[in-house]
Amino acid sequence: MDIFSYKGNVKKISFDKLLNLIEKKVNMYFVEDKRVRMKTFAIVIELIQNIYHHGSSHLNEDSEIPISFSIQKTDDNVFALKASNILENSKIEWLKNKLDQINSLSKAGLDKVYLERLMYTKLNEKEGAGLGFLYIRRKTGNTIQYSFTRLNELISEFEVVISFK
Amino acid sequence: MEKFLLEPTEKTPHVFFDPDEGIFEIGGRSIIENTVKFYEPIFDWIEAYLEKPALKNTIMAKFEYFNTSSSKCLIEIFRKFEGLHKKGIKVHLEWYYEQEDEDMRESGEDFRTVLSFPLSIKEMKVI
């Protein structure tokens, strides 16, 4: 069941509108379940800002960015957040290594790496804090599913799926 | 020194710093993409404050949401106050979370793990 679904082009300056729209849907759907509502929107914020920082780094404010974003609920009450965006092929290896490393960590390892990065890494204004996927993995307890679909010699579609109960 | 006040927006927090009372309130939402640009004036104000701080300092953080890049800026703020604590000046952080918001409570525990000054975690009913 789709709680929210969007596929289309979004200008970098319109990300706020998209975030507002998703928040309204999340608030309406999870009106009775504050815990899941707040967790869901906190993850949405990180996913949307990942796209802002990494899916459009080569574009200016007026460029339209093709993205898709959905929130689904399965029959066994698992929620799945799917986000996809365009990524330069040159970044695939870096991102794949980063996600594999995050997925390989134990709970204690995640806590340790997260707190070390929180304390010691320098905030990069163009790329965020580098904590987003670590945060998501910690908060959901699940590995981050991802895939890359090559579109041409320059770019690919990157899709990430976050599941939680 | 003048008080520091920022009204909240949909994406930026409410900030109220009272240097005479040693009260530092921040809360609401901090979900902006370009956090450094927003937080720099706050860092600058605190740096100036640290030259002549109050004897007792209470930071009150009452967030609904903050993104991970804001968490880096919050740690930067807290570390500035940690410097005071190391000099023997009283610093206390009150970390508030809304009822049922376990993730926000855990964020407070994260900060407590990495900071050396006293931090209390308190539940509040509504922001």
Side-chain angles (χ1 to χ4, degrees), chain A residues 16 19-20 23 34-35 37-39 41-42 45-46 49 52-53 114-115 117-121 123 125 129 131-132 135 138-139, chain B residues 10-11 29 31-37 64-65 67-69 71-73 75 79 98-101 103 106 110-111 113-114 125:
Chain A
D16 285 357
L19 201 58
N20 287 344
E23 184 178 18
K34 189 172 178 179
R35 184 191 69 83
R37 181 172 78 233
M38 300 195 88
K39 185 185 290 291
F41 190 58
I45 290 166
E46 294 301 325
Q49 291 186 350
Y52 182 91
H53 286 299
Y114 183 86
L115 294 178
R117 291 209 186 148
L118 177 64
M119 283 293 282
Y120 301 117
T121 56
L123 182 61
E125 194 65 289
L131 288 167
Y135 171 87
R138 272 183 102 206
K139 293 303 171 189
Chain B
E10 278 192 338
K11 297 186 80 175
R29 293 178 166 212
I31 58 172
I32 35 171
E33 292 87 6
N34 301 314
T35 43
V36 174
K37 191 176 170 188
E64 182 190 17
Y65 291 110
N67 57 12
T68 50
S69 51
S71 66
K72 291 289 300 178
C73 295
I75 201 87
R79 277 176 143 177
E98 285 189 55
Q99 200 175 24
E100 295 178 61
D101 190 358
D103 290 337
E106 287 168 11
D110 285 345
F111 285 121
T113 303
V114 297
K125 296 289 180 195

Side-chain angles (χ1 to χ4, degrees), chain A residues 22-67:
Chain A
I22 298 172
E23 184 178 18
K24 278 179 189 160
K25 288 282 184 181
V26 167
N27 286 348
M28 276 166 54
Y29 188 82
F30 296 107
V31 69
E32 298 290 340
D33 192 340
K34 189 172 178 179
R35 184 191 69 83
V36 179
R37 181 172 78 233
M38 300 195 88
K39 185 185 290 291
T40 303
F41 190 58
I43 295 170
V44 167
I45 290 166
E46 294 301 325
L47 289 174
I48 292 293
Q49 291 186 350
N50 265 337
I51 297 174
Y52 182 91
H53 286 299
H54 299 292
S56 61
S57 54
H58 55 302
L59 301 171
N60 62 36
E61 295 285 309
D62 288 326
S63 302
E64 292 203 323
I65 304 156
I67 72 169

Side-chain angles (χ1 to χ4, degrees), chain A residues 135-151:
Chain A
Y135 171 87
I136 290 169
R137 170 105 164 80
R138 272 183 102 206
K139 293 303 171 189
T140 61
N142 293 327
T143 53
I144 295 160
Q145 306 299 310
Y146 67 87
S147 63
F148 297 98
T149 306
R150 199 175 174 90
L151 299 177

